[in-house]
Amino acid sequence: MTKKERILYLIIEKLSADFAVVFNAAKAAHEASIHEENIPDNKYETLSLEASYVAQGQANRAQEIKIALDTYKKLSLQHFAEDVPIRLTALVTLEAGDGVEKTVFIGPEAGGLKVEDGGVETIVITPNSPLGEGLIGKIAGDSVEVGRGNAKSVFEIVEVC
């Protein structure tokens, strides 16, 4: 299994675990919203209503995770030669000006998800994120700037696979 295949496997594993947690939370919130102890005695008792809002929010989040999970299960990984521009499914190693390295996987969904393999943390970013937009079309050796003013960061693209 290549490094990138391992990262994809870890993303699917993490999304599966997240889905299970959120799905169970949605079920519990739904059950609380319809439980007989939460039936209001008057118009000021809103526990059942509040639980139904929580249940709906959890159900919506579960659906988002399910869509991301299904997308990653069907994802076809691309190989990136040295001169091939970065696009979806690229695993990119970046180096900041202070020498700290950061690894990102450009995925179609679940931006911000973090997985760890062999002590190296990989963050999923999407092409629509600021860093994703900056990386798309670049190649190893290029630099990318993210942010504005004093919050601007510059990274060198060390490796793309």
Side-chain angles (χ1 to χ4, degrees):
M1 182 180 287
T2 67
K3 179 166 61 170
K4 191 162 32 172
E5 289 170 336
R6 176 86 178 138
I7 295 300
L8 179 59
Y9 171 80
L10 292 171
I11 290 169
I12 291 170
E13 191 175 70
K14 176 87 165 124
L15 286 170
S16 295
D18 289 352
F19 176 75
V21 167
V22 173
F23 181 78
N24 288 333
K27 275 180 54 175
H30 174 71
E31 289 170 10
S33 73
I34 60 172
H35 193 275
E36 64 185 42
E37 289 181 7
N38 292 332
I39 295 173
D41 291 332
N42 60 57
K43 67 180 181 179
Y44 300 108
E45 291 183 8
T46 60
L47 193 56
S48 177
L49 180 63
E50 292 167 11
S52 71
Y53 289 152
V54 170
Q56 185 61 53
Q58 295 287 7
N60 291 347
R61 181 67 185 127
Q63 182 63 25
E64 290 171 2
I65 294 171
K66 179 81 169 99
I67 290 168
L69 180 59
D70 291 344
T71 301
Y72 277 100
K73 285 181 176 179
K74 297 174 190 171
L75 193 62
S76 176
L77 296 174
Q78 305 298 313
H79 175 72
F80 291 86
E82 206 171 289
D83 59 344
V84 175
I86 294 171
R87 62 183 185 279
L88 202 60
T89 78
L91 183 63
V92 183
T93 303
L94 304 167
E95 185 176 324
D98 59 5
V100 174
E101 287 192 350
K102 173 188 250 185
T103 304
V104 298
F105 178 81
I106 302 179
E109 301 273 347
L113 184 79
K114 297 176 183 178
V115 295
E116 190 174 316
D117 185 34
V120 176
E121 182 181 74
T122 300
I123 303 169
V124 176
I125 63 170
T126 63
N128 297 331
S129 69
L131 182 56
E133 284 181 0
L135 288 172
I136 297 295
K138 305 266 184 174
I139 60 173
D142 287 348
S143 292
V144 61
E145 288 185 20
V146 181
R148 295 187 187 128
N150 293 337
K152 188 183 297 186
S153 298
V154 179
F155 298 98
E156 180 183 343
I157 302 168
V158 177
E159 180 184 16
V160 180
C161 62

